[in-house]
Amino acid sequence: MSTLLGYVLPGIPYGCDFALMAVGLVITFRTTGVFNLAFGAQAFGAAFVFDLLVRSEGLPVWAAFVLSVLLLSPAVGLVLDRFLFSRIATTNMTAKIVSSVGLLIAIPQLLPILFGGSPRENPPSLWLDQAHVEFRLFGTAVNGSEVSTTVITLGAVAALLLFLRLSPAGLEMRAVVESRRLAQLQGIDSGKVAASAWALSSVMAGLAGVLLLPLSNVLNPTNPLQFTGLLVAGLTAAALARMRSIGVAFGAAIGLGVAQEVLELYFPNGALHTASVNAFPFIVLVGTLVGSKSLRSLGFRADPMAGVDPPPPPPSVSIRDPRLDVPMKWGFRALIVAFVVSGLTWVPGYWVTPLDAGLVYSTIFLSVTLITGASGQLSLCQASFAGVGAFAAGQLAAHFGLPVLLGAVVGGLMAAVLGAVLALLAARISGLILTLLTLAFALMADTFLFQYSWSGGSGTGVSVPRPVMGSIDFTSNRAFLVLALVVLLLCILLVALVQRGTTGRFLAAMRGSEPGAASLGINLLRARVTVFAMSAGIAGVGGAMFGSLYSPVSADSFVYEISLAFVVVVITTGSRRIEGAVQAGMSFAIIQFLFTYAPSRFQGLTPILFAFGALNYAQHPEGMVEYQKSRWMMRVSRLLARVDGRRGTAPTALAAGAAGNGMAGGVVGGSAPNGAPGLAGSPVGLSSGVVSPRG
Amino acid sequence: MNASYSTYRALFDVSFSVPAGTIVALLGANGAGKSTVARVATGLVAATSGKVLVGGRDVTRTAAHRIARMGVFHVPEGRGVFADLDVEENLRLALRRRVGARHLAEAMERAYTTFPVLAARRHQQAGTLSGGEQRILSLAGVLEAAPKLVIADELSLGLAPVIVDGVYEGLKAIHARGAALLVVEQQVDRALSLATHAVLLARGAVHWQGPPQQARAEMEELLAAGYAPPV
Ligand SMILES: Nc1ncnc2c1ncn2[C@@H]1O[C@H](COP(=O)(O)OP(=O)(O)O)[C@@H](O)[C@H]1O
Ligand SMILES: [Mg+2]
């Protein structure tokens, strides 16, 4: 009994750490309407500054706390609200997730740039000392940081509960989350309330970060997301609380902490240990995400005042003079030929590897295009699928002597099966919850699926040989270029076929509205299983190529942060078109390569660059790069129209519409696909814009 | 006022007034621009040109929450309550700023006595109330807050006639406390039975305004003319 208690007690401060994360996620969601995946990153940032102030600047702990948690954190929250989240419509769930993913990538990368990248040991404790044993309870030593974490967490959670339930400000925050407009009609300054909600949530993040500091013995700015276990537990507890109840989130987090300690007791080591201790939170998390009814309807509560805002401008992708299609197509082909010829001849050797990488990344990114571009669904586990492909190809080659290319196909198939299983599990969920399920899968791959010698090769990694086909040897980087290009083109062909075919139409309908698509008799499940399986398969093949390029590869190459980066990169360059994936792959690889010339602390600039692109998702869902590209297309179209006008030939309807509308706000001319919005092409001020009430 | 939604122009030189203590009916077919008038008046949609005056004060560029604090209430089309909050919290939200924290409890009790339906459902989530109960909840918040002007947008929409009667009783009670009303309706007879003045909107412009007795005839004429755009 006392041994059991000996495990339960240390489980409590552990649970408190989880609770800080879980309660933070829930309170942010309830007061701002954003499921802030970057909460942990914000916490880390505040903790980092706190540590800096105490140790480098020699400030007393309380002063550092005031500066970092009570002043800097809310300031960051206000900035986030002002420049990011206040511009996203309450109902635009995808934009909110993408923005938080962008932040999750940008914030940790900013830290080493600002403060240097050397790791620091034994970070300071906020209140009581970690090394000091405060008292013994049933024979278990309780140290200072455990006491301070528990006490402060309890206090903070109680205060938040009271605040949300009883204070007028808490009530207003909950109202503003549901509808800014409706709140305004009640005399509430919605903008101010939303800003204070962000400030509050950020203070909470700062507090969590500072309390969690003693947990990590080393504070490493270049690898800041070492809190994976924390994220998993926080997600699980928040999901158990249905993202609603702070009390339940707290209780669930404590329960998880204790359960993990108790599992440690019964399965101290061996295979059962890994299976139970590591898998346990995931079983709970996935079960809750898939099974909970109230989570399923989460975020589907429409803003009753949504009708006030004009519809967002259609993505500017649709504006393109058809006469540009042919030159574009041939230009693209010429570019490929030029690329191959240059890659094989004059390009210096050290430049060939980034080009190889660009093609391989393009292949993997195609999987993102397929899933996000076509169905509008965000998947945060594409790197895990890539890992499955890479490890399968490597292990099959090592143990069964399977040729690598065959291994890549098998690996792709294995990833496809996993993708299909994921889609089947997710049969009844969508939106945010589906995204979280993919994140759970990615975290699961990180924490244990890839940690075995038969999968991720634990420690040494897995070597994936370069393919050799009879007399054709792809060992050299230049030869590999040709192979990577062929694989990429095959995958492009596959994606293009899917997008043009029936499944593609189904997916496009799903992107508009899932219930709407279902009511048309579209079998959503089949469409979704198809797209998840194909996307995972392509990622798997791309992953195998990646492994072959950079062999040996370990689980580190496919962690969840990489998945997040993939999504962010593709969204920035454009997820709606196949070209977007190629643009993303090439630019990612090349920019990354260019930054190897910069000092090491600036390595993080590549992801930051793309993360900032993703932060514009609400304004430009078609992607920043695609947006700029189509602006240039517009100019060319307008020029063409003018030339036509001078020649006296009738300009095409499209060019006229485009020219007449002047593009400024990204407003589409007469070319909107399927002719949908009634406002297209009606210039301001014409009464023809008013629809006949009888018509 | 003139107004548009991005490139789509919705209102064309709409002009009328709602004198203190009167009831004005704003009539028009679906899509005529009635809701847009209400939105511009309460600051939800910015007027592209023109002026909105409340008690002689120019509020054209004033933020919506400030206009609301001046005693102008907009009961929007459809669901006008917070579905995630319960009845009590909805009332508290509507009343606290208007009657002050000290008088909040009394005001809420008065609202519950006037509308016993709500008292029985104090702790029910507003999203689970019936359409009629939701309208009553909106009106209860308005009634106790001593409004100057209430803009009620299609309160009868989607309700059974008996329920509409109840909702209109609420409106009359609000008027009896001295508020001016702008009643936006498609159900012409309901609004006209109450109104002291009628404004007929067609295709985003005022087609006619005058005494409610003549409104019927004007509407028939408008229909017969096939809603020709006003010249
Ligand atoms: N958010 C919006 N974006 C674009 N057009 C809108 C929006 N809201 C209303 N409209 C258009 O403005 C016109 C007037 O709408 P509205 O004021 O809602 O009419 P009513 O309330 O009389 O039915 C309609 O043609 C409608 O389609
Ligand atoms: Mg209307």
Side-chain angles (χ1 to χ4, degrees):
Chain A
M1 186 61 206
S2 72
T3 25
L4 184 62
L5 261 181
Y7 277 85
V8 168
L9 284 179
I12 289 176
Y14 225 0
C16 280
D17 291 338
F18 297 163
L20 284 169
M21 188 82 184
V23 170
L25 287 173
V26 170
I27 197 163
T28 310
F29 187 70
R30 283 194 76 187
T31 57
T32 67
V34 176
F35 191 84
N36 189 9
L37 284 172
F39 185 84
Q42 269 181 276
F44 182 82
F48 194 87
V49 173
F50 173 75
D51 175 68
L52 196 81
L53 290 174
V54 172
R55 285 200 283 183
S56 307
E57 306 297 323
L59 249 57
V61 167
W62 66 266
F65 177 78
V66 169
L67 273 176
S68 62
V69 176
L70 299 184
L71 292 176
L72 182 70
S73 292
V76 169
L78 292 179
V79 168
L80 289 184
D81 173 67
R82 175 85 176 71
F83 294 103
L84 186 58
F85 290 108
S86 66
R87 300 175 183 207
I88 302 177
T90 36
T91 43
N92 195 348
M93 207 32 111
T94 313
K96 290 182 193 168
I97 308 176
V98 170
S99 300
S100 75
V101 170
L103 284 179
L104 176 56
I105 291 183
I107 294 178
Q109 302 288 356
L110 269 173
L111 291 175
I113 294 175
L114 295 176
F115 305 114
S118 52
R120 295 193 302 238
E121 284 174 22
N122 292 325
S125 167
L126 176 57
W127 179 27
L128 298 170
D129 190 14
Q130 164 136 41
H132 185 247
V133 173
E134 293 296 324
F135 51 85
R136 290 180 176 274
L137 211 63
F138 304 107
T140 312
V142 178
N143 71 32
S145 76
E146 285 173 346
V147 173
S148 50
T149 305
T150 310
V151 170
I152 298 180
T153 307
L154 273 173
V157 169
L160 283 176
L161 256 176
L162 290 178
F163 173 77
L164 266 198
R165 278 277 169 78
L166 299 180
S167 84
L171 188 60
E172 288 181 358
M173 283 179 191
R174 285 161 57 202
V176 167
V177 168
E178 192 177 327
S179 170
R180 288 180 183 226
R181 304 277 194 197
L182 203 53
Q184 281 181 313
L185 291 184
Q186 306 285 13
I188 295 167
D189 187 348
S190 294
K192 219 154 101 188
V193 171
S196 26
W198 273 104
L200 175 75
S201 147
S202 304
V203 169
M204 185 66 200
L207 183 66
V210 169
L211 283 179
L212 292 173
L213 258 188
L215 185 77
S216 57
N217 292 326
V218 183
L219 196 59
N220 185 355
T222 50
N223 179 23
L225 300 173
Q226 47 194 263
F227 295 129
T228 310
L230 200 64
L231 180 60
V232 175
L235 270 179
T236 309
L240 279 171
R242 272 63 174 158
M243 315 287 175
R244 271 194 76 83
S245 161
I246 290 176
V248 176
F250 179 77
I254 301 284
L256 279 174
V258 170
Q260 250 174 11
E261 289 290 304
V262 172
L263 282 176
E264 293 271 3
L265 169 70
Y266 285 111
F267 307 105
N269 43 40
L272 265 181
H273 170 264
T274 7
S276 63
V277 176
N278 290 337
F280 170 70
F282 289 106
I283 294 170
V284 181
L285 175 58
V286 170
T288 318
L289 289 178
V290 170
S292 159
K293 258 205 188 117
S294 41
L295 278 184
R296 223 172 280 156
S297 57
L298 192 81
F300 280 104
R301 174 96 69 211
D303 179 352
M305 303 294 283
V308 172
D309 298 304
S316 40
V317 179
S318 42
I319 313 160
R320 185 178 283 192
D321 193 308
R323 280 173 299 179
L324 289 176
D325 283 351
V326 173
M328 289 272 299
K329 205 159 150 192
W330 282 102
F332 190 62
R333 286 174 193 176
L335 210 65
I336 290 179
V337 172
F339 177 82
V340 174
V341 171
S342 329
L344 291 181
T345 52
W346 61 268
V347 171
Y350 58 92
W351 259 102
V352 178
T353 317
L355 294 184
D356 281 341
L359 292 175
V360 171
Y361 277 130
S362 303
T363 313
I364 299 178
F365 289 170
L366 262 182
S367 76
V368 182
T369 305
L370 186 58
I371 209 160
T372 303
S375 72
Q377 207 60 254
L378 226 48
S379 162
L380 302 182
C381 60
Q382 296 306 107
S384 312
F385 290 139
V388 170
F391 296 144
Q395 301 279 12
L396 287 173
H399 295 290
F400 301 101
L402 206 65
V404 174
L405 283 181
L406 210 57
V409 173
V410 175
L413 287 177
M414 283 170 67
V417 170
L418 274 176
V421 169
L422 204 62
L424 283 173
L425 267 180
R428 308 186 59 184
I429 59 180
S430 59
L432 172 65
I433 303 302
L434 177 54
T435 306
L436 291 184
L437 185 70
T438 59
L439 178 63
F441 175 69
L443 290 167
M444 188 153 66
D446 289 3
T447 29
F448 68 100
L449 282 187
F450 287 168
Q451 298 300 337
Y452 299 98
S453 56
W454 52 262
S455 58
S458 60
T460 51
V462 175
S463 52
V464 188
R466 292 278 172 95
V468 179
M469 281 166 68
S471 58
I472 320 171
D473 186 346
F474 293 110
T475 312
S476 83
N477 282 343
R478 287 194 202 275
F480 192 80
L481 197 71
V482 179
L483 177 67
L485 185 67
V486 171
V487 172
L488 174 62
L489 289 178
L490 284 177
C491 290
I492 286 182
L493 198 70
L494 195 66
V495 174
L497 283 179
V498 172
Q499 285 190 344
R500 300 232 174 99
T502 336
T503 314
R505 306 242 170 90
F506 282 5
L507 295 175
M510 275 164 71
R511 187 172 62 205
S513 151
E514 293 214 351
S519 69
L520 289 177
I522 291 178
N523 186 339
L524 288 184
L525 186 57
R526 209 169 74 193
R528 193 188 269 168
V529 170
T530 315
V531 74
F532 262 82
M534 285 199 53
S535 162
I538 290 175
V541 171
M545 295 295 289
F546 181 88
S548 181
L549 177 64
Y550 286 118
S551 171
V553 284
S554 71
D556 285 348
S557 306
F558 305 105
V559 291
Y560 82 96
E561 293 102 307
I562 306 277
S563 290
L564 300 183
F566 284 177
V567 168
V568 160
V569 170
V570 176
I571 276 179
T572 299
T573 50
S575 60
R576 296 271 170 92
R577 284 168 174 269
I578 291 175
E579 299 155 40
V582 181
Q583 289 164 13
M586 295 314 292
S587 54
F588 186 61
I590 289 173
I591 294 177
Q592 215 171 25
F593 179 67
L594 288 178
F595 270 115
T596 54
Y597 290 102
S600 68
R601 63 149 66 173
F602 293 112
Q603 295 308 315
L605 275 177
T606 324
I608 289 184
L609 219 58
F610 287 103
F612 277 116
L615 297 184
N616 281 298
Y617 180 79
Q619 281 75 42
H620 300 291
E622 76 274 26
M624 277 312 275
V625 174
E626 193 62 40
Y627 166 68
Q628 295 297 344
K629 227 170 84 184
S630 50
R631 269 176 51 155
W632 280 100
M633 294 275 190
M634 276 295 301
R635 290 196 189 135
V636 177
S637 300
R638 228 177 293 162
L639 214 68
L640 283 176
R642 204 171 299 156
V643 172
D644 280 347
R646 221 171 272 157
R647 269 209 234 119
T649 48
T652 61
L654 175 123
N661 242 315
M663 188 55 205
V667 177
V668 152
S671 67
N674 56 50
L679 60 152
S682 80
V684 185
L686 278 187
S687 62
S688 70
V690 179
V691 181
S692 162
R694 287 165 96 200
Chain B
M1 57 176 78
N2 290 295
S4 47
Y5 295 98
S6 61
T7 57
Y8 183 96
R9 179 142 175 210
L11 294 185
F12 302 83
D13 297 325
V14 171
S15 178
F16 63 90
S17 63
V18 185
T22 62
I23 302 181
V24 174
L26 182 58
L27 309 173
N30 200 359
K34 306 181 296 295
S35 297
T36 308
V37 170
R39 290 166 185 170
V40 173
T42 47
L44 289 180
V45 168
T48 43
S49 62
K51 255 188 199 166
V52 181
L53 302 175
V54 173
R57 217 176 110 188
D58 188 346
V59 296
T60 322
R61 299 271 163 265
T62 308
H65 66 274
R66 289 194 192 285
I67 298 180
R69 286 179 197 174
M70 290 168 66
V72 178
F73 286 66
H74 179 175
V75 182
E77 215 170 6
R79 170 160 68 82
V81 295
F82 295 97
D84 272 341
L85 309 185
D86 65 19
V87 169
E88 177 117 1
E89 288 170 327
N90 265 291
L91 271 182
R92 196 144 30 102
L93 206 63
L95 290 176
R96 198 185 59 91
R97 276 178 192 281
R98 274 104 177 212
V99 301
R102 255 192 299 147
H103 304 291
L104 182 59
E106 309 157 30
M108 297 210 355
E109 276 321 306
R110 278 202 305 275
Y112 285 137
T113 17
T114 324
F115 303 102
V117 217
L118 300 180
R121 292 179 167 68
R122 252 171 227 240
H123 297 296
Q124 191 175 327
Q125 282 213 331
T128 61
L129 296 177
S130 75
E133 287 159 356
Q134 290 184 353
R135 308 279 156 84
I136 300 263
L137 177 54
S138 299
L139 290 180
V142 174
L143 178 65
E144 290 305 326
K148 288 200 190 96
L149 168 66
V150 177
I151 303 176
D153 196 350
E154 304 223 20
L155 287 189
S156 64
L157 196 70
L159 298 186
V162 201
I163 315 260
V164 178
D165 288 342
V167 172
Y168 267 75
E169 285 309 312
L171 269 186
K172 277 183 204 155
I174 291 172
H175 182 243
R177 300 238 178 136
L181 298 184
L182 177 60
V183 182
V184 176
E185 268 301 353
Q186 269 188 81
Q187 290 198 9
V188 180
D189 294 329
R190 289 267 180 202
L192 288 181
S193 68
L194 216 66
T196 53
H197 185 78
V199 178
L200 194 52
L201 222 53
R203 296 187 182 180
V206 174
H207 176 75
W208 170 87
Q209 53 180 316
Q213 297 78 8
Q214 290 170 31
R216 266 259 153 238
E218 289 294 334
M219 292 212 53
E220 303 291 334
E221 204 173 292
L222 191 61
L223 257 173
Y227 288 89
V231 209

